[in-house]
Amino acid sequence: MSEKKKNDQQTARQIVLVFADETERLRRDIYRSDIEKLQLFTQMLRTNNLLKKVKVTHK
């Protein structure tokens, strides 16, 4: 098998695992209390706001 095919298969497996993890996290979060959901949402907004301000510099 060529090296490119192996890399493509490995990447595909990683994508499936990430998608499965995300789905499981969402299923857990459905049953959280309203306060916990609000806290998660505000944390997400704060993180997003922080990342908007970031400037990436390369050497």
Side-chain angles (χ1 to χ4, degrees):
M1 199 181 286
S2 71
E3 189 66 31
K4 184 175 179 348
K5 255 189 176 176
K6 286 181 184 178
N7 288 340
D8 289 346
Q9 286 178 347
Q10 185 178 10
T11 303
R13 279 190 223 126
Q14 288 173 347
I15 290 170
V16 169
L17 287 175
V18 168
F19 181 73
D21 291 344
E22 181 72 12
T23 303
E24 287 301 315
R25 186 187 63 77
L26 289 172
R27 285 187 181 147
R28 276 195 324 262
D29 289 346
I30 288 172
Y31 300 108
R32 290 181 185 260
S33 70
D34 291 341
I35 295 297
E36 288 175 321
K37 288 178 189 176
L38 177 64
Q39 289 172 345
L40 286 172
F41 181 66
T42 54
Q43 180 183 6
M44 179 188 69
L45 290 177
R46 279 191 229 118
T47 303
N48 187 38
N49 194 22
L50 176 70
L51 293 176
K52 280 183 180 179
K53 296 176 185 177
V54 171
K55 292 184 181 179
V56 177
T57 57
H58 297 280
K59 289 185 177 182

